[in-house]
Amino acid sequence: MHTPIRTTVVGSYPFPGWLEFASQHLNEFGPADIEEAIEDAVIAAIHDQTTAGLDVITDGEQTRLDFNLSFYGYIKGISPDESETRRFGPAAHDQRGKHRITETLSAPNGLGVVKEFLRLKKLAPQGPILKASIPGPYTLSGRLLPNSEYKDRYAITAAILPFIQKELEDLVAAGCTEITVDEPSMSCYAYKEDTKKFAAIFNKTVEPVVGKCNLSTHLCFGNFKGRPVGYRSIKPMIPDFLELKVNEIHIEMANREFAEIELLETFSKRMNVAVGIIDVKNYYIETPEDVAERIKRCLQYIPAEKLSVAPDCGLSQTARWASRQKLANMVKGAKMVRDLI
């Protein structure tokens, strides 16, 4: 049974300052020290989320130094390529590194998400639902450069897809009941790419675990250094994204001032809807009253039993002090509305 106005998160959470410092000095740590640091960081992320009172928590993705790039450490056959990366000037997406493909892609040891989930399971208290997030193959292909073996982004996507499938199956086998497959590249480029093709890729990816967990996808318009990158409209996603085989769809709304909110009604007829109700790009701290007012707007289009609320995106690009307050107020606002219905 879906909790009415369920409070959840996308996945990432800011790193403690000491973890960022430690990650720049890893040569001074032994393997046991590094594992201890990771556990301590996950404990900190769990603490902030459970103190806020969330229904669903993650490990804060404390072992992922970048949404995509950390996964490339698990994929054999690629090497960094910084040749086109802009080094100076305003922070933006063209400062992220790309990778050359040097041989046939493989992921013999998986993608690391199962280990992250088992660590979360070990450290988390009883009560909240434990969620794992993993990027989908189209998004994961975005920093890899085509070559003679993989002619374009879709060929790279097809090569990565089985790695994601295997990780999803292993997550379910490990007892994970809540999984988000992040495909922000699909929402960013829905305005110019074949959305039927996107839906087919997504559904093939998740096929092995459909019906075996509470499966969701996260769609946003980019958040590297707090900056969007895509054409920020839901309209191009309809109707094809209505065919995604998920229990819940998560859509960025707060940063877009709830533009196109009426389109969420279309999604709610097919699936549960998690609305991005907290703006992760803004350092204004939403009050519980702000959150309650936003939720009431959502309830005009989505029934309470099908509605979840979350930040627009993961919180990794937002300072921890702000993230902590935003989550606490999100939960308080949700409770205010729950108490009225």
Side-chain angles (χ1 to χ4, degrees), residues 35-175:
E35 189 55 36
E36 180 182 304
I38 290 168
E39 288 208 355
D40 288 347
V42 172
I43 289 166
I46 290 169
H47 172 271
D48 286 5
Q49 293 173 89
T50 53
T51 303
L54 288 163
D55 297 315
V56 181
I57 67 169
T58 70
D59 72 340
E61 299 179 4
Q62 298 293 292
T63 57
R64 303 183 191 177
L65 297 180
D66 179 279
F67 171 69
N68 272 359
L69 301 186
S70 63
F71 286 95
Y72 295 162
Y74 290 94
I75 298 175
K76 300 248 184 280
I78 59 179
S79 66
D81 185 333
E82 304 286 341
S83 58
E84 296 179 20
T85 306
R86 181 169 58 86
R87 304 291 173 89
F88 302 103
H93 293 254
D94 61 345
Q95 292 183 326
R96 302 176 75 192
K98 293 197 175 184
H99 283 66
R100 281 191 316 279
I101 300 175
T102 56
E103 59 184 83
T104 300
L105 299 175
S106 63
N109 301 309
L111 296 172
V113 186
V114 175
K115 185 178 180 183
E116 291 173 343
F117 173 72
L118 292 174
R119 185 188 293 112
L120 173 63
K121 201 172 172 183
K122 179 178 81 170
L123 299 173
Q126 291 294 313
I129 295 166
L130 308 181
K131 178 163 100 161
S133 294
I134 183 169
Y138 183 73
T139 292
L140 201 51
S141 70
R143 314 305 300 172
L144 299 177
L145 299 166
N147 67 357
S148 57
E149 185 174 359
Y150 305 102
K151 302 285 189 190
D152 58 20
R153 183 166 181 176
Y154 286 107
I156 300 170
T157 299
I160 293 173
L161 194 152
F163 310 161
I164 310 288
Q165 279 187 328
K166 176 76 164 61
E167 202 76 10
L168 291 171
E169 290 179 286
D170 290 349
L171 275 169
V172 169

Side-chain angles (χ1 to χ4, degrees), residues 87-314:
R87 304 291 173 89
F88 302 103
H93 293 254
D94 61 345
Q95 292 183 326
R96 302 176 75 192
K98 293 197 175 184
H99 283 66
R100 281 191 316 279
I101 300 175
T102 56
E103 59 184 83
T104 300
L105 299 175
S106 63
N109 301 309
L111 296 172
V113 186
V114 175
K115 185 178 180 183
E116 291 173 343
F117 173 72
L118 292 174
R119 185 188 293 112
L120 173 63
K121 201 172 172 183
K122 179 178 81 170
L123 299 173
Q126 291 294 313
I129 295 166
L130 308 181
K131 178 163 100 161
S133 294
I134 183 169
Y138 183 73
T139 292
L140 201 51
S141 70
R143 314 305 300 172
L144 299 177
L145 299 166
N147 67 357
S148 57
E149 185 174 359
Y150 305 102
K151 302 285 189 190
D152 58 20
R153 183 166 181 176
Y154 286 107
I156 300 170
T157 299
I160 293 173
L161 194 152
F163 310 161
I164 310 288
Q165 279 187 328
K166 176 76 164 61
E167 202 76 10
L168 291 171
E169 290 179 286
D170 290 349
L171 275 169
V172 169
C176 188
T177 60
E178 185 95 14
I179 302 174
T180 292
V181 178
D182 290 316
E183 275 289 14
S185 290
M186 288 191 176
S187 40
C188 284
Y189 304 127
Y191 75 98
K192 65 176 184 177
E193 295 286 340
D194 182 346
T195 49
K196 278 189 169 51
K197 198 168 187 175
F198 279 168
I201 290 166
F202 185 92
N203 288 339
K204 185 177 179 184
T205 304
V206 301
E207 193 174 16
V209 295
V210 169
K212 297 178 182 176
C213 62
N214 193 44
L215 184 64
S216 58
T217 188
H218 167 60
L219 303 173
C220 74
F221 302 100
N223 188 37
F224 179 67
K225 305 295 187 189
R227 292 174 185 261
V229 71
Y231 175 64
R232 300 197 303 161
S233 174
I234 297 169
K235 205 166 284 177
M237 304 180 205
I238 297 171
D240 295 325
F241 283 27
L242 297 172
E243 303 304 321
L244 297 182
K245 292 181 180 175
V246 291
N247 305 99
E248 181 174 273
I249 195 158
H250 179 290
I251 297 179
E252 173 185 354
M253 291 297 290
N255 185 253
R256 301 169 57 250
E257 301 291 343
F258 292 83
E260 305 178 307
I261 189 172
E262 68 282 355
L263 297 181
L264 297 185
E265 187 169 19
T266 317
F267 283 101
S268 75
K269 289 174 179 169
R270 300 287 192 99
M271 57 195 75
N272 295 332
V273 180
V275 178
I277 212 132
I278 295 292
D279 188 349
V280 301
K281 299 177 177 80
N282 193 339
Y283 277 83
Y284 168 73
I285 306 297
E286 295 87 350
T287 65
E289 291 74 21
D290 291 330
V291 172
E293 185 272 328
R294 293 173 184 186
I295 291 172
K296 286 173 186 172
R297 286 176 69 186
C298 295
L299 288 172
Q300 294 174 48
Y301 304 99
I302 308 159
E305 65 276 8
K306 299 194 88 172
L307 176 65
S308 292
V309 294
D312 274 339
C313 298

Side-chain angles (χ1 to χ4, degrees), residues 10-25:
V10 176
S12 69
Y13 193 72
F15 296 153
W18 57 261
L19 182 64
E20 293 207 34
F21 181 83
S23 69
Q24 293 161 15
H25 298 82

